[in-house]
CSV table of all heavy atoms in Angstrom, one decimal:
chain,number,residue,atom,x,y,z
A,84,GLY,N,7.2,-163.4,-62.1
A,84,GLY,CA,6.2,-164.1,-62.8
A,84,GLY,C,5.2,-164.8,-61.9
A,84,GLY,O,4.2,-165.3,-62.3
A,85,GLU,N,5.6,-164.9,-60.6
A,85,GLU,CA,4.7,-165.6,-59.6
A,85,GLU,C,3.8,-164.5,-59.0
A,85,GLU,O,4.0,-163.3,-59.1
A,85,GLU,CB,5.5,-166.4,-58.6
A,85,GLU,CG,6.3,-167.5,-59.2
A,85,GLU,CD,7.0,-168.4,-58.2
A,85,GLU,OE1,8.1,-167.9,-57.7
A,85,GLU,OE2,6.5,-169.5,-58.0
A,86,TYR,N,2.9,-165.0,-58.2
A,86,TYR,CA,1.9,-164.1,-57.6
A,86,TYR,C,1.4,-164.6,-56.2
A,86,TYR,O,1.7,-165.7,-55.8
A,86,TYR,CB,0.7,-164.0,-58.5
A,86,TYR,CG,0.0,-165.3,-58.8
A,86,TYR,CD1,-1.0,-165.8,-57.9
A,86,TYR,CD2,0.4,-166.2,-59.8
A,86,TYR,CE1,-1.6,-167.0,-58.1
A,86,TYR,CE2,-0.2,-167.4,-60.0
A,86,TYR,CZ,-1.2,-167.8,-59.1
A,86,TYR,OH,-1.8,-169.1,-59.3
A,87,PHE,N,0.7,-163.7,-55.5
A,87,PHE,CA,0.2,-164.0,-54.2
A,87,PHE,C,-1.1,-163.2,-54.0
A,87,PHE,O,-1.3,-162.1,-54.6
A,87,PHE,CB,1.2,-163.9,-53.1
A,87,PHE,CG,1.8,-162.5,-52.9
A,87,PHE,CD1,1.2,-161.6,-52.1
A,87,PHE,CD2,2.9,-162.2,-53.7
A,87,PHE,CE1,1.8,-160.3,-52.0
A,87,PHE,CE2,3.5,-160.9,-53.5
A,87,PHE,CZ,2.9,-160.0,-52.7
A,88,GLY,N,-1.9,-163.6,-53.1
A,88,GLY,CA,-3.2,-162.9,-52.8
A,88,GLY,C,-4.4,-163.5,-53.5
A,88,GLY,O,-5.4,-162.9,-53.5
A,89,GLU,N,-4.2,-164.6,-54.2
A,89,GLU,CA,-5.3,-165.1,-55.0
A,89,GLU,C,-6.5,-165.6,-54.2
A,89,GLU,O,-7.6,-165.6,-54.6
A,89,GLU,CB,-4.8,-166.3,-55.9
A,89,GLU,CG,-4.5,-167.6,-55.3
A,89,GLU,CD,-3.2,-167.6,-54.5
A,89,GLU,OE1,-2.4,-166.6,-54.6
A,89,GLU,OE2,-2.9,-168.6,-53.9
A,90,LEU,N,-6.2,-166.1,-53.0
A,90,LEU,CA,-7.3,-166.6,-52.1
A,90,LEU,C,-8.3,-165.5,-51.8
A,90,LEU,O,-9.5,-165.7,-51.8
A,90,LEU,CB,-6.8,-167.2,-50.8
A,90,LEU,CG,-6.0,-168.5,-50.9
A,90,LEU,CD1,-5.6,-168.9,-49.5
A,90,LEU,CD2,-6.9,-169.6,-51.6
A,91,SER,N,-7.8,-164.3,-51.6
A,91,SER,CA,-8.7,-163.2,-51.3
A,91,SER,C,-9.6,-162.8,-52.5
A,91,SER,O,-10.6,-162.2,-52.3
A,91,SER,CB,-7.8,-162.0,-50.9
A,91,SER,OG,-6.9,-162.3,-49.9
A,92,LEU,N,-9.2,-163.2,-53.7
A,92,LEU,CA,-10.0,-162.9,-54.9
A,92,LEU,C,-11.3,-163.6,-54.8
A,92,LEU,O,-12.3,-163.2,-55.4
A,92,LEU,CB,-9.2,-163.2,-56.1
A,92,LEU,CG,-7.9,-162.4,-56.4
A,92,LEU,CD1,-7.3,-162.9,-57.7
A,92,LEU,CD2,-8.1,-160.9,-56.4
A,93,ILE,N,-11.3,-164.8,-54.1
A,93,ILE,CA,-12.4,-165.7,-54.1
A,93,ILE,C,-13.3,-165.3,-52.9
A,93,ILE,O,-14.5,-165.1,-53.0
A,93,ILE,CB,-12.0,-167.1,-54.0
A,93,ILE,CG1,-11.2,-167.5,-55.3
A,93,ILE,CG2,-13.2,-168.1,-53.8
A,93,ILE,CD1,-10.6,-168.9,-55.3
A,94,ASP,N,-12.7,-165.3,-51.7
A,94,ASP,CA,-13.6,-165.1,-50.5
A,94,ASP,C,-13.6,-163.7,-49.8
A,94,ASP,O,-14.4,-163.4,-49.0
A,94,ASP,CB,-13.2,-166.2,-49.4
A,94,ASP,CG,-11.8,-166.1,-48.9
A,94,ASP,OD1,-11.1,-165.1,-49.2
A,94,ASP,OD2,-11.3,-167.0,-48.3
A,95,GLY,N,-12.6,-162.9,-50.2
A,95,GLY,CA,-12.5,-161.5,-49.7
A,95,GLY,C,-12.2,-161.5,-48.2
A,95,GLY,O,-12.3,-160.4,-47.6
A,96,LYS,N,-11.7,-162.6,-47.7
A,96,LYS,CA,-11.4,-162.6,-46.2
A,96,LYS,C,-10.0,-162.0,-46.0
A,96,LYS,O,-9.2,-161.8,-46.9
A,96,LYS,CB,-11.5,-164.0,-45.7
A,96,LYS,CG,-12.9,-164.5,-45.7
A,96,LYS,CD,-13.0,-165.9,-45.0
A,96,LYS,CE,-14.5,-166.3,-44.9
A,96,LYS,NZ,-14.6,-167.7,-44.2
A,97,PRO,N,-9.6,-161.8,-44.7
A,97,PRO,CA,-8.3,-161.2,-44.4
A,97,PRO,C,-7.2,-162.1,-44.9
A,97,PRO,O,-7.3,-163.3,-45.1
A,97,PRO,CB,-8.3,-161.1,-42.9
A,97,PRO,CG,-9.7,-161.0,-42.5
A,97,PRO,CD,-10.5,-161.8,-43.5
A,98,ARG,N,-6.0,-161.5,-45.1
A,98,ARG,CA,-4.8,-162.2,-45.6
A,98,ARG,C,-4.5,-163.3,-44.6
A,98,ARG,O,-4.5,-163.2,-43.4
A,98,ARG,CB,-3.6,-161.2,-45.7
A,98,ARG,CG,-3.8,-160.1,-46.6
A,98,ARG,CD,-4.0,-160.5,-48.0
A,98,ARG,NE,-4.0,-159.3,-48.9
A,98,ARG,CZ,-4.3,-159.4,-50.2
A,98,ARG,NH1,-4.4,-160.5,-50.8
A,98,ARG,NH2,-4.3,-158.3,-51.0
A,99,SER,N,-4.1,-164.5,-45.2
A,99,SER,CA,-3.8,-165.7,-44.4
A,99,SER,C,-2.3,-165.8,-44.0
A,99,SER,O,-1.9,-166.6,-43.3
A,99,SER,CB,-4.2,-166.9,-45.2
A,99,SER,OG,-3.5,-167.0,-46.4
A,100,ALA,N,-1.5,-164.9,-44.6
A,100,ALA,CA,0.0,-164.9,-44.3
A,100,ALA,C,0.6,-163.5,-44.6
A,100,ALA,O,-0.1,-162.7,-45.2
A,100,ALA,CB,0.7,-166.0,-45.2
A,101,SER,N,1.8,-163.3,-44.1
A,101,SER,CA,2.5,-162.1,-44.4
A,101,SER,C,3.5,-162.2,-45.5
A,101,SER,O,3.9,-163.4,-45.8
A,101,SER,CB,3.2,-161.6,-43.1
A,101,SER,OG,2.4,-161.4,-42.0
A,102,VAL,N,3.8,-161.2,-46.2
A,102,VAL,CA,4.7,-161.2,-47.3
A,102,VAL,C,5.7,-160.0,-47.3
A,102,VAL,O,5.2,-158.9,-47.0
A,102,VAL,CB,4.0,-161.2,-48.7
A,102,VAL,CG1,5.0,-161.3,-49.9
A,102,VAL,CG2,3.0,-162.3,-48.8
A,103,MET,N,7.0,-160.3,-47.4
A,103,MET,CA,8.0,-159.3,-47.3
A,103,MET,C,9.0,-159.4,-48.5
A,103,MET,O,9.3,-160.5,-48.9
A,103,MET,CB,8.7,-159.3,-46.0
A,103,MET,CG,9.8,-158.3,-45.8
A,103,MET,SD,10.6,-158.4,-44.2
A,103,MET,CE,11.6,-159.9,-44.4
A,104,THR,N,9.4,-158.3,-49.0
A,104,THR,CA,10.4,-158.3,-50.1
A,104,THR,C,11.8,-158.7,-49.5
A,104,THR,O,12.1,-158.2,-48.4
A,104,THR,CB,10.6,-157.0,-50.8
A,104,THR,OG1,11.0,-156.0,-49.9
A,104,THR,CG2,9.2,-156.5,-51.4
A,105,ILE,N,12.5,-159.6,-50.2
A,105,ILE,CA,13.9,-159.9,-49.7
A,105,ILE,C,14.9,-159.4,-50.8
A,105,ILE,O,16.1,-159.7,-50.7
A,105,ILE,CB,14.1,-161.4,-49.5
A,105,ILE,CG1,13.9,-162.2,-50.7
A,105,ILE,CG2,13.2,-161.8,-48.3
A,105,ILE,CD1,14.2,-163.7,-50.5
A,106,SER,N,14.4,-158.6,-51.7
A,106,SER,CA,15.3,-157.9,-52.7
A,106,SER,C,14.4,-156.7,-53.1
A,106,SER,O,13.2,-156.6,-52.9
A,106,SER,CB,15.7,-158.7,-53.9
A,106,SER,OG,14.6,-159.1,-54.7
A,107,ASP,N,15.0,-155.8,-53.8
A,107,ASP,CA,14.2,-154.7,-54.4
A,107,ASP,C,13.2,-155.3,-55.4
A,107,ASP,O,13.6,-156.2,-56.2
A,107,ASP,CB,15.1,-153.7,-55.2
A,107,ASP,CG,16.0,-152.9,-54.2
A,107,ASP,OD1,15.7,-152.9,-53.0
A,107,ASP,OD2,17.0,-152.3,-54.7
A,108,CYS,N,12.0,-154.9,-55.4
A,108,CYS,CA,11.0,-155.5,-56.2
A,108,CYS,C,10.1,-154.5,-57.0
A,108,CYS,O,10.0,-153.4,-56.6
A,108,CYS,CB,10.0,-156.3,-55.3
A,108,CYS,SG,10.7,-157.8,-54.6
A,109,GLU,N,9.6,-155.0,-58.1
A,109,GLU,CA,8.6,-154.3,-58.9
A,109,GLU,C,7.4,-155.2,-58.9
A,109,GLU,O,7.5,-156.4,-59.3
A,109,GLU,CB,9.1,-154.0,-60.3
A,109,GLU,CG,10.2,-153.1,-60.4
A,109,GLU,CD,10.6,-152.8,-61.8
A,109,GLU,OE1,9.8,-153.1,-62.8
A,109,GLU,OE2,11.7,-152.2,-62.0
A,110,ILE,N,6.3,-154.7,-58.4
A,110,ILE,CA,5.0,-155.5,-58.2
A,110,ILE,C,3.9,-154.8,-59.0
A,110,ILE,O,3.7,-153.6,-59.0
A,110,ILE,CB,4.6,-155.5,-56.7
A,110,ILE,CG1,5.8,-156.0,-55.9
A,110,ILE,CG2,3.4,-156.4,-56.5
A,110,ILE,CD1,6.2,-157.4,-56.0
A,111,ILE,N,3.1,-155.7,-59.7
A,111,ILE,CA,1.9,-155.3,-60.3
A,111,ILE,C,0.7,-155.6,-59.4
A,111,ILE,O,0.6,-156.7,-59.0
A,111,ILE,CB,1.7,-156.0,-61.7
A,111,ILE,CG1,2.8,-155.6,-62.6
A,111,ILE,CG2,0.4,-155.6,-62.3
A,111,ILE,CD1,2.8,-156.4,-63.9
A,112,LEU,N,-0.1,-154.6,-59.1
A,112,LEU,CA,-1.3,-154.8,-58.3
A,112,LEU,C,-2.5,-154.7,-59.1
A,112,LEU,O,-2.7,-153.8,-59.9
A,112,LEU,CB,-1.3,-153.7,-57.2
A,112,LEU,CG,-0.4,-153.8,-56.0
A,112,LEU,CD1,1.0,-153.4,-56.4
A,112,LEU,CD2,-0.8,-152.8,-54.9
A,113,VAL,N,-3.3,-155.8,-59.0
A,113,VAL,CA,-4.6,-155.9,-59.7
A,113,VAL,C,-5.7,-155.9,-58.6
A,113,VAL,O,-5.7,-156.8,-57.8
A,113,VAL,CB,-4.7,-157.1,-60.6
A,113,VAL,CG1,-6.0,-157.1,-61.3
A,113,VAL,CG2,-3.5,-157.1,-61.5
A,114,SER,N,-6.6,-155.0,-58.7
A,114,SER,CA,-7.7,-154.9,-57.7
A,114,SER,C,-8.6,-156.1,-57.7
A,114,SER,O,-8.8,-156.7,-58.8
A,114,SER,CB,-8.4,-153.6,-57.8
A,114,SER,OG,-9.3,-153.7,-58.9
A,115,ARG,N,-9.2,-156.5,-56.6
A,115,ARG,CA,-10.1,-157.6,-56.6
A,115,ARG,C,-11.4,-157.3,-57.5
A,115,ARG,O,-11.9,-158.1,-58.1
A,115,ARG,CB,-10.6,-157.8,-55.1
A,115,ARG,CG,-11.6,-158.9,-54.9
A,115,ARG,CD,-11.7,-159.2,-53.4
A,115,ARG,NE,-12.6,-160.3,-53.2
A,115,ARG,CZ,-13.9,-160.1,-52.8
A,115,ARG,NH1,-14.3,-158.9,-52.6
A,115,ARG,NH2,-14.7,-161.2,-52.6
A,116,ALA,N,-11.8,-156.0,-57.5
A,116,ALA,CA,-12.9,-155.6,-58.3
A,116,ALA,C,-12.6,-155.8,-59.8
A,116,ALA,O,-13.5,-156.3,-60.6
A,116,ALA,CB,-13.2,-154.1,-58.1
A,117,SER,N,-11.4,-155.6,-60.2
A,117,SER,CA,-11.0,-155.8,-61.6
A,117,SER,C,-11.0,-157.2,-62.0
A,117,SER,O,-11.5,-157.6,-63.1
A,117,SER,CB,-9.6,-155.2,-61.9
A,117,SER,OG,-9.5,-153.8,-61.6
A,118,VAL,N,-10.5,-158.1,-61.1
A,118,VAL,CA,-10.5,-159.5,-61.4
A,118,VAL,C,-12.0,-160.0,-61.4
A,118,VAL,O,-12.3,-160.9,-62.3
A,118,VAL,CB,-9.7,-160.3,-60.3
A,118,VAL,CG1,-9.8,-161.8,-60.5
A,118,VAL,CG2,-8.3,-159.9,-60.4
A,119,GLN,N,-12.8,-159.6,-60.5
A,119,GLN,CA,-14.2,-160.0,-60.5
A,119,GLN,C,-14.9,-159.6,-61.8
A,119,GLN,O,-15.8,-160.3,-62.4
A,119,GLN,CB,-14.9,-159.4,-59.3
A,119,GLN,CG,-14.5,-160.1,-58.0
A,119,GLN,CD,-15.2,-159.5,-56.8
A,119,GLN,OE1,-15.6,-158.4,-56.8
A,119,GLN,NE2,-15.2,-160.3,-55.7
A,120,GLU,N,-14.5,-158.4,-62.3
A,120,GLU,CA,-15.1,-157.9,-63.6
A,120,GLU,C,-14.6,-158.9,-64.8
A,120,GLU,O,-15.4,-159.2,-65.7
A,120,GLU,CB,-14.6,-156.5,-63.9
A,120,GLU,CG,-15.2,-155.9,-65.2
A,120,GLU,CD,-16.7,-155.8,-65.2
A,120,GLU,OE1,-17.3,-155.8,-64.1
A,120,GLU,OE2,-17.2,-155.6,-66.3
A,121,LEU,N,-13.4,-159.3,-64.7
A,121,LEU,CA,-12.9,-160.2,-65.7
A,121,LEU,C,-13.6,-161.5,-65.6
A,121,LEU,O,-14.0,-162.1,-66.7
A,121,LEU,CB,-11.4,-160.5,-65.5
A,121,LEU,CG,-10.7,-161.5,-66.4
A,121,LEU,CD1,-10.8,-161.1,-67.8
A,121,LEU,CD2,-9.3,-161.8,-66.0
A,122,ILE,N,-14.0,-162.0,-64.4
A,122,ILE,CA,-14.7,-163.3,-64.3
A,122,ILE,C,-16.1,-163.1,-64.9
A,122,ILE,O,-16.6,-164.0,-65.6
A,122,ILE,CB,-14.8,-163.7,-62.8
A,122,ILE,CG1,-13.4,-164.1,-62.3
A,122,ILE,CG2,-15.9,-164.8,-62.6
A,122,ILE,CD1,-13.4,-164.4,-60.8
A,123,ARG,N,-16.7,-161.9,-64.7
A,123,ARG,CA,-18.1,-161.7,-65.3
A,123,ARG,C,-18.0,-161.7,-66.8
A,123,ARG,O,-19.0,-162.2,-67.4
A,123,ARG,CB,-18.6,-160.4,-64.7
A,123,ARG,CG,-19.2,-160.4,-63.3
A,123,ARG,CD,-20.0,-159.2,-63.0
A,123,ARG,NE,-19.1,-158.0,-62.8
A,123,ARG,CZ,-18.5,-157.7,-61.7
A,123,ARG,NH1,-18.8,-158.4,-60.6
A,123,ARG,NH2,-17.8,-156.6,-61.6
A,124,LYS,N,-17.0,-161.1,-67.4
A,124,LYS,CA,-16.9,-161.0,-68.8
A,124,LYS,C,-16.3,-162.3,-69.4
A,124,LYS,O,-16.6,-162.6,-70.6
A,124,LYS,CB,-16.0,-159.9,-69.2
A,124,LYS,CG,-16.6,-158.5,-68.9
A,124,LYS,CD,-15.7,-157.4,-69.4
A,124,LYS,CE,-16.3,-156.0,-69.1
A,124,LYS,NZ,-15.4,-154.9,-69.6
A,125,HIS,N,-15.6,-163.1,-68.6
A,125,HIS,CA,-14.9,-164.3,-69.2
A,125,HIS,C,-15.0,-165.4,-68.1
A,125,HIS,O,-14.1,-165.6,-67.4
A,125,HIS,CB,-13.4,-163.9,-69.5
A,125,HIS,CG,-12.7,-165.0,-70.1
A,125,HIS,ND1,-13.1,-165.6,-71.3
A,125,HIS,CD2,-11.6,-165.7,-69.8
A,125,HIS,CE1,-12.2,-166.5,-71.7
A,125,HIS,NE2,-11.3,-166.6,-70.7
A,126,PRO,N,-16.2,-166.0,-68.0
A,126,PRO,CA,-16.5,-167.0,-66.9
A,126,PRO,C,-15.5,-168.1,-66.8
A,126,PRO,O,-15.2,-168.7,-65.8
A,126,PRO,CB,-17.9,-167.5,-67.3
A,126,PRO,CG,-18.5,-166.4,-68.1
A,126,PRO,CD,-17.4,-165.8,-68.9
A,127,GLU,N,-14.9,-168.5,-68.0
A,127,GLU,CA,-13.9,-169.6,-68.0
A,127,GLU,C,-12.7,-169.2,-67.0
A,127,GLU,O,-12.0,-170.2,-66.5
A,127,GLU,CB,-13.3,-169.8,-69.4
A,127,GLU,CG,-14.4,-170.3,-70.4
A,127,GLU,CD,-15.1,-169.2,-71.1
A,127,GLU,OE1,-15.1,-168.1,-70.6
A,127,GLU,OE2,-15.5,-169.4,-72.2
A,128,PHE,N,-12.5,-168.0,-66.8
A,128,PHE,CA,-11.4,-167.6,-65.9
A,128,PHE,C,-11.6,-168.1,-64.5
A,128,PHE,O,-10.6,-168.4,-63.8
A,128,PHE,CB,-11.2,-166.1,-65.9
A,128,PHE,CG,-10.1,-165.6,-65.0
A,128,PHE,CD1,-8.8,-165.9,-65.2
A,128,PHE,CD2,-10.5,-164.8,-63.9
A,128,PHE,CE1,-7.8,-165.4,-64.4
A,128,PHE,CE2,-9.5,-164.4,-63.0
A,128,PHE,CZ,-8.2,-164.7,-63.3
A,129,ALA,N,-12.8,-168.2,-64.1
A,129,ALA,CA,-13.1,-168.7,-62.7
A,129,ALA,C,-12.6,-170.1,-62.6
A,129,ALA,O,-12.1,-170.4,-61.5
A,129,ALA,CB,-14.6,-168.6,-62.5
A,130,MET,N,-12.7,-170.9,-63.6
A,130,MET,CA,-12.2,-172.3,-63.5
A,130,MET,C,-10.7,-172.3,-63.5
A,130,MET,O,-10.1,-173.1,-62.7
A,130,MET,CB,-12.7,-173.1,-64.7
A,130,MET,CG,-12.2,-174.6,-64.7
A,130,MET,SD,-12.7,-175.5,-63.2
A,130,MET,CE,-14.5,-175.5,-63.5
A,131,LEU,N,-10.1,-171.4,-64.3
A,131,LEU,CA,-8.6,-171.3,-64.2
A,131,LEU,C,-8.1,-170.9,-62.8
A,131,LEU,O,-7.1,-171.5,-62.3
A,131,LEU,CB,-8.1,-170.3,-65.3
A,131,LEU,CG,-8.4,-170.6,-66.7
A,131,LEU,CD1,-8.0,-169.5,-67.6
A,131,LEU,CD2,-7.8,-171.9,-67.2
Side-chain angles (χ1 to χ4, degrees):
E85 297 186 283
Y86 60 90
F87 56 94
E89 74 283 356
L90 291 180
S91 304
L92 300 179
I93 298 176
D94 59 15
K96 292 185 177 181
R98 302 293 187 185
S99 58
S101 299
V102 181
M103 182 177 71
T104 62
I105 62 172
S106 68
D107 292 344
C108 289
E109 294 181 13
I110 307 289
I111 297 174
L112 284 75
V113 183
S114 71
R115 183 166 178 261
S117 298
V118 175
Q119 289 179 335
E120 179 65 18
L121 176 62
I122 291 174
R123 282 192 288 270
K124 292 183 177 181
H125 187 57
E127 295 90 334
F128 176 65
M130 181 57 67
L131 298 175

